[in-house]
Amino acid sequence: MNRFYFAKTNKAALFFAMALLPSGMVYSQVKKDTVTKEKKIDEVVVIGYGTQRKEAVTGSVATVKGDVLREVPSANITQALQGRTAGVDISQTSSKPGAAMQIRIRGARSFTGTNDPLIVLDGIPFIGSLGDISSNDIKSIDILKDASATAIYGSRGANGVILVTTNRGSKGQKPRFTYNSFTGVQTLFSRYPMMDGPKLAKLRADAGNIYGLGTDETLDTNTDWQKLYYKPAMMTSHDVGVSGGTDGGNYNVGLSYFKQDALIPIQNYERFSLRIGLDQQVGKSFKFGFTTNTNYTVSEGNGVSGAPILGYSPLANPYNPDGSIKRSMSTASNVDQSWIYIRKTLENLGDKYVDESKGFSSYNNIYGEVSLPITGLKYRLNVGLDYLTSNSGNYTGVGVFNVNAATPSSAGRGNNQTYHWTLENLLTYDRTFGKHKINAVALYSAEGTRYVSTYMSAKNVPADFFQYYNLGQSPQADISVKPEDQVYWRRGLLSYMGRAMYTYDNKYMITATLRADGASVLAPGNKWHTYPAISLGWNLANESFMQSMKFINQFKLRYGWGQTSNQAVDPYTTLGSLQVTPYNFGSSNTTGVYILTAPNTGLGWEYSKTNNFGVDFGLFNNRITGTVEYYRTKTEKVLSGTRLPPSGGIDRVTNNIGQIENKGWEVSLNGSIINNPDGFSWDAGINWYANRNQILALSSGTTRDEINNWFVGHNINAIYDYQNIGLWQQGDPYLNILEPGGNVGMIKVLYTGGYNADGSPVRAINTTDRQIIDTAPDWQGGFNMRFSYKNFELSTVGAFQHGGVLISSIYGSSGYLNRLTGRGNNVDVEYWTADNPNVRNPKPGGIMSGDNPKYGSTLAYFDGSYLKLRTITLGYNIKKEFLDDLKLSSLRIYFTVTNPLVLFSPYHKESGMDPEPNSYGNQNQAVNSSLPYNSRQLIIGANNPSTRNYLMGINLSF
């Protein structure tokens, strides 16, 4: 058994290590301290346009192996990446089946442009999402984080680069067949914490009976609307693959199927995938190959949401006396009429409702490589050809979702196509001369994208069976083809790049890169930008003066500096844009155009400069490995839309304005604590990171943009709102001064004005008292542990976050679920009463702002801290003796629970809900126009609820 041994006298050291080391090293006490040596493995890292031994890497690169990703069975490999890598924040944007996730590498750098990283699949830029790639096909994922590493990809790599390498067969390998599958059930992680019937009745009474019973409400009714809506749902995945090779090449072919139903009715996602990879050597000098990744997806019920039922009164009965379901109901003194939106009504709609999207995508890479007469010199041509198309359609029958049974039917149909090509010419020189190793790459590439999208809609479709397939059957006056729904654009990129890497005696490393990009979307004279990068490495562990420290296997210092840029604007932005609008000209109806955005003939690149300092170490025969990094990125000439004065008649113009800074620390630590292949083994890892995002400057020297919530000195996702400091209590002074007409028990917010000589405020609370609230967490990270005993294994992955502001719109004003008046159902909260004054929520029926408590938006903000387990997996590897009888190479069965447990979270303690987001800030909100947060923010809203999944799986090969 390989483990660390300490003498009995080292009990203090044992306690210290157990208490403080993140990987939780385990010691066994014997008479002599020894460390069993292990064979050192030279790990190879993909760095873009080549590979490099990890020991020689000078940029900031993190690697996650494919077998580690497959420990978390999921629909989308980004879910398996969560919590694995320092500096990579992966967040859920929606809990709907098939939804993509948001990835941020070292923070956000752009105001209105994309902050998504570049994905590179097998060497070619990939325009799809990580969800389009099967986890069973992945060999490794390498994440380039700093400018010295990403500069080779130029403007496309400004937000970091994710390099995906897929599995290939091996030369001479016999055919190997694999089958990977999991099936399971998704259950509700937690219900939305809404009031039941008696609680709502009491709330109405405490609010002064502003709203009484409606026609369909009775005090003895207690309808559980969530029970009538949510239902456990199935999820299944099947993947079949074959790989092998000959003396001259290799191949890999795979076919996969995935389906996920939602907990809410008639919503599901299906994906079919085909992948083929081939490499073939022709003679000694030539090699060619290709990779194709093709997907067909179907999403149904896209427009269905869980939001409506949350506001339904539990005092209302959805059934008629004969047991049939009512079509609609009247509640809250008959002020509200609602179509009854439950599982049975949706499932019984049949042809009366459809909302679906069908997508096809094909990503294809072709390459040819020839070895030139000069030793170590190669030429390679990469060609990427991608095609994506999506067809969507929706139909809503007469009276569906509306209390008016005669509401006209409506339908819409859209389609879009994306055509993308990449051409890369690479010249590579790779030689070793004694202690000198040289690798040089020269690149010339061109890239183009064309996008076409159309959409049309209609009303009064003559029959349900037409649905959206023949909108021309509707009356011509009811067919609408809006100009803004018809989109066409093209964009292109031309690039040159050179990179040289030099290593001496495996001690001293230097990498230098120079790249130039020309972007079609920028203004003439500003289309081209050239940026350099350089990084240095010093492997101290290989120095002679370190040889006496046998416990140090690796100790490398790194420094990198570089510049990247971003063409974060839409095509034709430099030309400005026109908006079409209908209007009356005399007695005639006609259509005109007006200028929406002004042209900018000086529009140029936004670019970032990064400094990165890193330390990589390996101790005790690399039983403990880790990395510590500090970085600072400053983005200048940030591209953003700037509003213009209304008197000019033009809404806005896109300019290069402002500066944004991201800086922070990252720590990763992994330990092979106990390593006994024939007995008990224990591996553990942890990563921790803190990013400070700050706006340094805005347009024309201004320090704030209140419309967009951008403020100098604060993060890009700051909130501009009042600061809740409690509730007004009996006997509190100055209530009538600060809140004229206010009431005891209303929300009390921070006052920032002056005071009179007697200490009284000089004015009432007004909009100048709003505060800038930074939402970003103080720090965050993830952890993982794996235990194995003989053929059994147990693994877990978790995540944590400290600080930051979590926005939950169901508690704030925008969702209309915490109005505290009794109109519609209310979140189950403790609210102020004379007998219960020390609570968070105000007195029911108090002073209002619109249909919500005054300052009710402040109730949406919670401490964003949490500690949770994301997955727990128990697996068993079938014994080899049994496999030999079945002619199998390996067989593993496993059971996984995803999202099993929240260990700590103020929000979870309050609500019982998952503390991670499920929506963008502008989704599923009753009020959007006055939100103190916007679409950039991720929030917890009335979207599909979070799930806890129980999965059984199998991994088989022969």
Side-chain angles (χ1 to χ4, degrees):
M1 179 183 289
N2 294 326
R3 63 172 79 185
F4 299 103
Y5 296 95
F6 276 69
K8 291 182 178 179
T9 56
N10 286 333
K11 290 182 178 178
L14 169 65
F15 177 80
F16 177 80
M18 289 289 290
L20 298 183
L21 281 179
S23 57
M25 291 172 55
V26 166
Y27 303 89
S28 202
Q29 300 176 26
V30 295
K31 293 182 179 179
K32 187 175 182 180
D33 295 345
T34 61
V35 176
T36 303
K37 293 184 177 180
E38 294 183 346
K39 184 178 180 180
K40 184 177 178 181
I41 300 175
D42 287 332
E43 184 179 349
V44 175
V45 175
V46 179
I47 57 172
Y49 302 117
T51 60
Q52 194 174 27
R53 287 184 308 108
K54 187 174 182 179
E55 194 176 17
V57 172
T58 55
S60 182
V61 183
T63 300
V64 182
K65 295 300 183 183
D67 55 354
V68 172
L69 293 173
R70 285 183 284 275
E71 290 179 1
V72 181
S74 61
N76 192 322
I77 60 173
T78 47
Q79 295 170 328
L81 271 175
Q82 281 185 298
R84 292 286 189 179
T85 306
V88 182
D89 181 25
I90 300 177
S91 303
Q92 184 175 251
T93 63
S94 172
S95 38
K96 290 183 178 181
M101 301 187 77
Q102 176 181 279
I103 305 175
R104 295 290 179 264
I105 298 177
R106 293 184 170 180
R109 299 169 178 81
S110 183
F111 283 134
T112 53
T114 177
N115 283 290
D116 297 330
L118 170 71
I119 300 172
V120 177
L121 178 62
D122 289 327
I124 293 290
F126 184 66
I127 62 172
S129 71
L130 285 177
D132 294 327
I133 306 171
S134 170
S135 60
N136 295 295
D137 197 38
I138 294 177
K139 180 180 180 181
S140 68
I141 289 181
D142 297 271
I143 302 173
L144 313 183
K145 296 187 286 187
D146 73 328
S148 65
T150 66
I152 56 170
Y153 288 104
S155 61
R156 296 171 301 179
N159 300 311
V161 181
I162 298 177
L163 305 174
V164 180
T165 304
T166 59
N167 291 315
R168 319 289 278 192
S170 302
K171 288 185 179 180
Q173 173 191 323
K174 293 182 179 179
R176 179 174 181 265
F177 294 85
T178 61
Y179 173 65
N180 299 287
S181 174
F182 65 81
T183 299
V185 62
Q186 306 164 90
T187 63
L188 197 62
F189 178 85
S190 67
R191 299 160 57 89
Y192 281 89
M194 307 306 295
M195 289 183 173
D196 61 15
K199 288 184 178 180
L200 179 61
K202 184 178 184 302
L203 171 65
R204 285 182 176 177
D206 289 336
N209 291 314
I210 301 172
Y211 298 101
L213 295 174
T215 303
D216 293 287
E217 292 179 296
T218 61
L219 290 176
D220 59 353
T221 300
N222 189 12
T223 301
D224 187 341
W225 292 101
Q226 295 188 64
K227 186 176 181 180
L228 295 175
Y229 196 65
Y230 301 126
K231 180 182 177 181
M234 297 299 295
M235 178 167 61
T236 187
S237 173
H238 302 276
D239 185 279
V240 180
V242 59
S243 62
T246 64
D247 291 339
N250 58 75
Y251 60 88
N252 180 49
V253 180
L255 182 67
S256 65
Y257 170 77
F258 174 81
K259 183 176 182 181
Q260 181 181 6
D261 295 322
L263 270 64
I264 69 175
I266 67 170
Q267 188 179 92
N268 61 73
Y269 172 78
E270 237 178 336
R271 181 182 67 222
F272 303 83
S273 300
L274 172 67
R275 59 188 185 276
I276 303 174
L278 173 70
D279 301 289
Q280 181 64 46
Q281 187 77 37
V282 180
K284 295 183 179 180
S285 300
F286 183 67
K287 180 181 179 181
F288 72 92
F290 72 89
T291 301
T292 181
N293 190 329
T294 301
N295 298 305
Y296 175 71
T297 62
V298 179
S299 297
E300 295 184 329
N302 299 318
V304 179
S305 169
I309 58 109
L310 298 180
Y312 286 173
S313 168
L315 300 172
N317 188 342
Y319 298 102
N320 293 306
D322 63 358
S324 61
I325 301 174
K326 297 175 182 177
R327 187 181 180 281
S328 62
M329 61 184 175
S330 183
T331 60
S333 298
N334 296 330
V335 172
D336 290 333
Q337 285 79 40
S338 307
W339 191 86
I340 295 181
Y341 200 93
I342 61 175
R343 176 172 290 274
K344 284 187 177 180
T345 58
L346 288 172
E347 291 177 342
N348 291 337
L349 287 174
D351 287 345
K352 291 182 179 296
Y353 177 75
V354 64
D355 188 351
E356 62 185 11
S357 177
K358 299 175 182 179
F360 174 83
S361 58
S362 183
Y363 311 100
N364 304 279
N365 305 340
I366 306 169
Y367 77 90
E369 184 178 275
V370 59
S371 297
L372 299 176
I374 301 175
T375 303
L377 187 63
K378 294 181 179 180
Y379 168 75
R380 181 181 177 111
L381 174 66
N382 292 328
V383 179
L385 300 171
D386 305 322
Y387 173 70
L388 290 76
T389 184
S390 175
N391 293 281
S392 62
N394 61 82
Y395 171 74
T396 304
V398 175
V400 174
F401 305 145
N402 201 293
V403 294
N404 181 2
T407 301
S409 61
S410 62
R413 182 167 188 171
N415 66 81
N416 60 70
Q417 295 87 37
T418 302
Y419 308 85
H420 175 258
W421 59 269
T422 305
L423 185 67
E424 296 180 334
N425 296 273
L426 287 159
L427 195 62
T428 304
Y429 182 70
D430 193 353
R431 287 291 303 275
T432 300
F433 305 93
K435 296 182 178 181
H436 306 272
K437 181 174 179 58
I438 299 173
N439 178 280
V441 177
L443 166 78
Y444 166 72
S445 71
E447 179 181 356
T449 306
R450 181 163 65 97
Y451 177 80
V452 182
S453 177
T454 61
Y455 182 83
M456 64 182 298
S457 61
K459 293 182 179 180
N460 291 305
V461 178
D464 289 334
F465 58 81
F466 280 115
Q467 294 192 334
Y468 62 85
Y469 295 106
N470 193 344
L471 302 186
Q473 293 288 342
S474 298
Q476 293 299 303
D478 291 331
I479 299 174
S480 176
V481 182
K482 296 180 180 180
E484 61 265 29
D485 290 335
Q486 322 308 313
V487 180
Y488 171 84
W489 55 257
R490 295 179 63 184
R491 67 188 305 159
L493 185 71
L494 196 63
S495 305
Y496 302 89
M497 187 274 293
R499 180 184 68 192
M501 298 184 293
Y502 170 73
T503 302
Y504 175 73
D505 199 20
N506 204 27
K507 298 178 184 177
Y508 315 110
M509 292 82 72
I510 183 171
T511 300
T513 305
L514 186 68
R515 172 137 184 166
D517 281 338
S520 65
V521 296
L522 300 176
N526 294 301
K527 292 183 180 294
W528 282 91
H529 188 70
T530 302
Y531 30 91
I534 188 168
S535 57
L536 309 170
W538 180 20
N539 200 337
L540 276 78
N542 291 339
E543 295 286 1
S544 58
F545 59 80
M546 296 286 287
Q547 300 308 305
S548 60
M549 290 179 261
K550 301 295 184 182
F551 66 95
I552 299 178
N553 306 104
Q554 182 186 11
F555 190 75
K556 179 175 63 178
L557 302 178
R558 294 183 283 107
Y559 169 72
W561 174 89
Q563 187 182 115
T564 57
S565 57
N566 196 348
Q567 39 166 324
V569 292
D570 294 329
Y572 319 123
T573 300
T574 58
L575 305 178
S577 65
L578 301 176
Q579 179 69 43
V580 177
T581 183
Y583 70 98
N584 296 327
F585 185 75
S587 59
S588 302
N589 295 325
T590 187
T591 300
V593 296
Y594 64 92
I595 300 174
L596 180 66
T597 59
N600 184 348
T601 57
L603 198 63
W605 295 86
E606 68 176 35
Y607 56 90
S608 302
K609 297 177 181 177
T610 298
N611 287 277
N612 192 89
F613 303 85
V615 178
D616 303 324
F617 58 87
L619 309 174
F620 305 113
N621 288 300
N622 287 319
R623 296 285 292 278
I624 300 175
T625 59
T627 297
V628 179
E629 293 191 86
Y630 173 78
Y631 63 89
R632 183 176 182 180
T633 301
K634 185 177 180 182
T635 305
E636 301 179 350
K637 296 188 176 180
V638 180
L639 290 160
S640 176
T642 304
R643 289 194 179 276
L644 298 175
S647 58
I650 302 176
D651 185 63
R652 64 178 60 208
V653 64
T654 300
N655 282 319
N656 292 99
I657 64 166
Q659 298 177 356
I660 298 174
E661 180 184 69
N662 285 277
K663 60 182 179 181
W665 288 89
E666 298 172 356
V667 179
S668 298
L669 189 61
N670 294 283
S672 179
I673 301 163
I674 299 176
N675 185 13
N676 181 7
D678 299 321
F680 179 73
S681 296
W682 180 12
D683 299 319
I686 188 169
N687 66 80
W688 173 95
Y689 57 99
N691 180 73
R692 296 291 180 267
N693 174 274
Q694 186 180 31
I695 298 173
L696 300 181
L698 290 170
S699 175
S700 304
T702 59
T703 59
R704 55 176 55 207
D705 179 345
E706 295 180 7
I707 294 175
N708 292 301
N709 288 351
W710 293 328
F711 305 94
V712 171
H714 298 271
N715 68 60
I716 196 172
N717 286 329
I719 297 168
Y720 189 50
D721 201 0
Y722 297 95
Q723 183 177 330
N724 188 321
I725 59 174
L727 303 176
W728 285 99
Q729 304 292 350
Q730 293 284 357
D732 278 359
Y734 314 134
L735 170 60
N736 293 330
I737 300 175
L738 292 174
E739 295 291 351
N743 62 275
V744 172
M746 71 175 289
I747 296 172
K748 186 177 185 179
V749 299
L750 183 67
Y751 169 69
T752 60
Y755 293 87
N756 297 310
D758 62 357
S760 62
V762 299
R763 61 169 174 81
I765 297 286
N766 60 39
T767 56
T768 63
D769 292 302
R770 288 179 295 173
Q771 303 293 300
I772 304 167
I773 304 170
D774 288 320
T775 59
D778 299 326
W779 43 264
Q780 57 195 125
F783 59 92
N784 59 86
M785 284 190 285
R786 183 180 182 276
F787 307 92
S788 63
Y789 179 72
K790 294 186 177 179
N791 293 339
F792 289 93
E793 58 187 28
L794 176 67
S795 62
T796 183
V797 179
F800 54 84
Q801 177 175 301
H802 180 268
V805 175
L806 181 153
I807 302 171
S808 176
S809 66
I810 66 171
Y811 284 90
S813 298
S814 61
Y816 275 5
L817 295 176
N818 196 16
R819 293 183 279 191
L820 291 170
T821 61
R823 180 180 177 181
N825 203 3
N826 205 92
V827 181
D828 189 3
V829 296
E830 280 195 278
Y831 50 78
W832 188 97
T833 64
D835 298 328
N836 189 28
N838 298 315
V839 292
R840 185 171 186 264
N841 289 269
K843 178 184 181 297
I847 187 171
M848 306 293 288
S849 176
D851 203 21
N852 287 281
K854 191 174 184 181
Y855 311 121
S857 61
T858 66
L859 298 173
Y861 310 139
F862 291 81
D863 180 352
S865 302
Y866 67 82
L867 172 65
K868 65 179 293 188
L869 296 181
R870 283 208 171 106
T871 61
I872 301 175
T873 298
L874 176 64
Y876 179 75
N877 295 284
I878 305 300
K879 293 182 179 180
K880 186 177 185 302
E881 296 81 3
F882 183 73
L883 295 178
D884 290 341
D885 293 338
L886 297 177
K887 308 300 182 184
L888 299 177
S889 302
S890 65
L891 175 59
R892 173 179 176 263
I893 56 176
Y894 62 88
F895 175 73
T896 295
V897 183
T898 65
N899 209 18
L901 187 64
V902 175
L903 300 171
F904 168 78
S905 163
Y907 181 72
H908 177 72
K909 183 178 180 180
E910 169 83 12
S911 66
M913 298 177 64
D914 189 340
E916 295 194 78
N918 68 355
S919 304
Y920 285 108
N922 62 340
Q923 292 178 326
N924 300 306
Q925 305 304 315
V927 181
N928 283 321
S929 60
S930 58
L931 291 180
Y933 45 89
N934 51 45
S935 60
R936 295 193 309 272
Q937 267 119 350
L938 297 179
I939 68 169
I940 294 176
N943 204 336
N944 290 33
S946 293
T947 63
R948 179 181 287 118
N949 307 330
Y950 301 90
L951 307 173
M952 286 287 293
I954 183 173
N955 306 123
L956 169 68
S957 67
F958 60 94

